[in-house]
Amino acid sequence: MPTALIETRLGKFRAQFTERGLARLQFPNAAAGPIADSIEPPKNWLRQTTAALKTMLAGHAPKTLPPLDLSTGTAFQQQTWRALLRIPAGRTRGYGELARAVRRPKAARAIGGACGANPIPVLSPCHRVIGASGSLTGFSGGMHWKIKLLEIERVKLPLH
């Protein structure tokens, strides 16, 4: 299972790539699961991933992202993950808002499930999705990471 470790000021993130692009990004100390068709990444993809991750962790929106392979998700999950990419740095959206953005206004709970299954957190910013009342809800990387990422982006906490 080819894996790239990306050293950041917050620890080593694990990146895995397929022929399509970055397929998984894991937080430091997360258990690594295999990706069946993972490859050694082309140097430019690894450079783009490293630059984008470090830019995000510095509180800024990256100018470019590496190619992203979102193919592990259902059509709905992929649609949700692409919608996450449109949430500006330093801003948040509620699950219901995101459901309306993907034209599935009654799918707020399903949006939460899609965010939890997001294989590329930080770069596909599911940490920017919050509860309707402004509450910080679950996060696949752990609530401490959600809070840390929102603080880095200068989102004023608590939100409610």
Side-chain angles (χ1 to χ4, degrees):
M1 149 180 80
T3 297
L5 293 176
I6 300 173
E7 183 76 42
T8 74
R9 66 184 181 85
L10 297 176
K12 290 180 185 177
F13 284 74
R14 181 182 315 272
Q16 293 175 295
F17 298 81
T18 65
E19 293 287 340
R20 294 182 191 103
L22 177 64
R24 182 180 291 159
L25 184 66
Q26 293 176 288
F27 289 99
N29 304 316
I35 292 181
D37 54 349
S38 63
I39 63 164
E40 282 295 328
K43 286 183 175 40
N44 63 324
W45 287 4
L46 186 54
R47 269 194 307 273
Q48 289 173 329
T49 302
T50 300
L53 180 60
K54 288 183 176 184
T55 299
M56 290 283 292
L57 295 177
H60 306 288
K63 288 185 176 30
T64 60
L65 291 174
L68 302 179
D69 179 358
L70 302 174
S71 66
T72 59
T74 65
F76 176 77
Q77 288 173 327
Q78 290 178 41
Q79 183 182 23
T80 300
W81 299 336
R82 283 190 297 275
L84 294 172
L85 296 168
R86 294 189 294 272
I87 303 172
R91 301 286 178 89
T92 60
R93 297 287 183 270
Y95 292 99
E97 285 178 89
L98 204 53
R100 288 186 295 281
V102 299
R103 301 181 199 280
R104 301 276 302 272
K106 296 182 183 195
R109 194 173 293 255
I111 292 288
C115 287
N118 178 8
I120 309 173
V122 183
L123 296 185
S124 180
C126 51
H127 61 277
R128 296 177 185 154
V129 183
I130 58 171
S133 66
S135 60
L136 296 181
T137 55
F139 187 63
S140 63
M143 192 57 69
H144 66 287
W145 274 108
K146 184 169 191 151
I147 292 168
K148 170 63 89 183
L149 293 169
L150 291 172
E151 286 174 341
I152 287 170
E153 293 185 11
R154 296 173 196 82
V155 173
K156 298 235 188 283
L157 299 175
L159 296 170
H160 54 280

